[in-house]
Amino acid sequence: ALYPSVHFILLDNRPPSIHQAEERTATANLHNVTCRCEDLHDFSASETFHLGIALHACGPLTDLVMDFCLLQRAAYVLCPCCIGKVQASSLVYPRSSCFRALIPDRRQYESMASAGDLSVRQFFSKSKTDGQKAANISNSKTKEQQQQQGWEQRQQEEELQQQHRRRRLCKAFVETDRGLRAEEAGYLTRLMLLTPRECTPKNDLLCGYPGEWDELILERGNGEGREAVEKMEHVVVNGD
């Protein structure tokens, strides 16, 4: 609605999702949105677009969307999901030459991706549940038993914290590798987190655009940023 001259193409391989998107598009009276029930693997690389958006693109789908964007010299905004599923992909991993030099064995990379696949929600949910269980049974124990229980609970919490830190580190490595893949293709990139962090278990956000766009922005001036966006013709959105 904000950019009527921009055409949005929404892809999803699930008919119910596309049906819901079509209903919402009709309700909002939008005429610049095309909803297609289509697998991303069937998307034609020859279709021209200027911005690719992927929400919870599972496993290698994030990399597939990025590859389409790099091919078209299009910007991208990607929210990856289930990175452990890269194990089943025929794509090359690690994605960047930098990481391939650091981790030449793909199996090690896949192990790192699997280790980074524990969700934020799983972590906080388990921590909260363990705390509730401890509170429920503490009243029936002696002081000595309660002290022992408190020590064990602190140990469990510390173990969960360490597990969460390892998960974040592993996932950060995978997402950094993806960003470096784009940088090697001449992109300017950023790795960010969605806020609030609990809005989704997979809260990393990969953003990037071709380096040559910086020159265009400088040439046009900061005041013409909206005009530059208006001139974008196609945006491809891949839904969860």
Side-chain angles (χ1 to χ4, degrees), residues 217-238:
I217 293 172
L218 289 174
E219 288 176 4
R220 292 171 176 169
N222 293 333
E224 299 181 10
R226 182 179 177 87
E227 180 183 348
V229 174
E230 289 284 1
K231 291 182 178 179
M232 295 172 61
E233 296 177 355
H234 292 86
V235 175
V236 175
V237 181
N238 178 242

Side-chain angles (χ1 to χ4, degrees), residues 7-236:
H7 186 73
F8 293 83
I9 303 172
L10 176 63
L11 302 180
D12 201 299
N13 62 358
R14 293 171 298 185
S17 298
I18 290 298
H19 180 66
Q20 184 180 57
E22 290 174 336
E23 286 184 339
R24 291 181 177 181
T25 299
T27 301
N29 198 30
L30 298 177
H31 303 288
N32 59 336
V33 179
T34 299
C35 302
R36 286 162 39 182
C37 188
E38 180 178 323
D39 192 279
L40 188 59
H41 292 87
D42 298 325
F43 182 74
S44 174
S46 62
E47 289 197 48
T48 301
F49 62 94
H50 300 89
L51 172 62
I53 302 173
L55 176 61
H56 290 171
C58 214
L61 291 183
T62 293
D63 301 298
L64 192 58
V65 173
M66 179 181 285
D67 282 351
F68 279 131
C69 291
L70 299 187
L71 184 64
Q72 292 282 347
R73 302 306 290 175
Y76 62 79
V77 179
L78 313 175
C79 183
C81 180
C82 302
I83 58 174
K85 292 184 179 180
V86 301
Q87 298 179 50
S89 174
S90 59
L91 296 176
V92 175
Y93 291 96
R95 300 297 291 157
S96 66
S97 60
C98 176
F99 265 71
R100 284 196 292 272
L102 291 171
I103 312 175
D105 188 344
R106 172 165 173 154
R107 290 172 298 179
Q108 292 180 346
Y109 186 88
E110 291 175 348
S111 296
M112 180 176 68
S114 294
D117 221 6
L118 175 67
S119 74
V120 176
R121 190 172 296 166
Q122 283 176 299
F123 168 75
F124 285 110
S125 175
K126 179 172 174 51
S127 179
K128 183 178 180 181
T129 301
D130 289 346
Q132 290 174 337
K133 288 180 179 179
N136 291 336
I137 62 176
S138 61
N139 293 332
S140 62
K141 295 192 174 184
T142 66
K143 184 176 180 180
E144 182 178 344
Q145 289 174 324
Q146 289 177 0
Q147 289 176 341
Q148 176 67 21
Q149 178 188 351
W151 180 84
E152 292 175 352
Q153 185 178 347
R154 288 192 295 272
Q155 289 291 103
Q156 291 176 356
E157 290 175 353
E158 177 60 27
E159 183 179 342
L160 280 174
Q161 291 286 349
Q162 291 180 359
Q163 182 182 9
H164 182 56
R165 286 193 288 268
R166 288 193 297 268
R167 183 202 75 82
R168 283 301 312 167
L169 184 61
C170 290
K171 193 168 192 305
F173 277 138
V174 172
E175 308 307 355
T176 299
D177 176 42
R178 286 167 160 164
L180 288 173
R181 157 88 170 99
E183 289 182 13
E184 290 172 358
Y187 273 60
L188 299 177
T189 70
R190 271 196 167 186
L191 172 57
M192 298 179 285
L193 289 176
L194 296 171
T195 55
R197 294 188 180 186
E198 294 79 17
C199 66
T200 172
K202 316 294 184 176
N203 55 12
D204 291 287
L205 193 68
L206 304 175
C207 303
Y209 63 90
E212 60 266 24
W213 284 21
D214 257 5
E215 299 176 6
L216 294 175
I217 293 172
L218 289 174
E219 288 176 4
R220 292 171 176 169
N222 293 333
E224 299 181 10
R226 182 179 177 87
E227 180 183 348
V229 174
E230 289 284 1
K231 291 182 178 179
M232 295 172 61
E233 296 177 355
H234 292 86
V235 175
V236 175

